Amino acid sequence: MTSPENWQKSSFSGFGDGDECLELASTPAALHLRESDAPATVLTAPPTPLAHLLHSIRTETPGIVASTTARPGHPC
């Protein structure tokens, strides 16, 4: 699989020199995520499941992450 060429950095790049941030690229069939400090490792997913995951994280609502990591007595 060929890696996309048009990566966009997140608006929050952490502290220091800004080399520790999330980057996103898209192709017609998938979204690709990577960390600036480890660009060879890329998470690729179809748009819909990844959009649901990102929505759950942004809104802090139970979703995919909460349903797979929650245990009785242990909050997510």
Side-chain angles (χ1 to χ4, degrees):
M1 173 176 40
T2 304
S3 183
E5 294 181 20
N6 188 20
W7 291 93
Q8 298 177 343
K9 285 190 177 185
S10 67
S11 59
F12 179 77
S13 295
F15 302 102
D17 57 13
D19 288 340
E20 297 178 7
C21 62
L22 184 66
E23 297 178 337
L24 172 72
S26 64
T27 60
L31 295 175
H32 310 273
L33 297 170
R34 70 181 185 185
E35 289 191 42
S36 295
D37 60 347
T41 303
V42 178
L43 170 66
T44 301
T48 302
L50 188 55
H52 289 180
L53 174 63
L54 293 174
H55 175 75
S56 295
I57 293 169
R58 280 189 211 116
T59 60
E60 298 180 7
T61 58
I64 297 168
V65 175
S67 66
T68 60
T69 60
R71 297 181 313 243
H74 295 89
C76 295

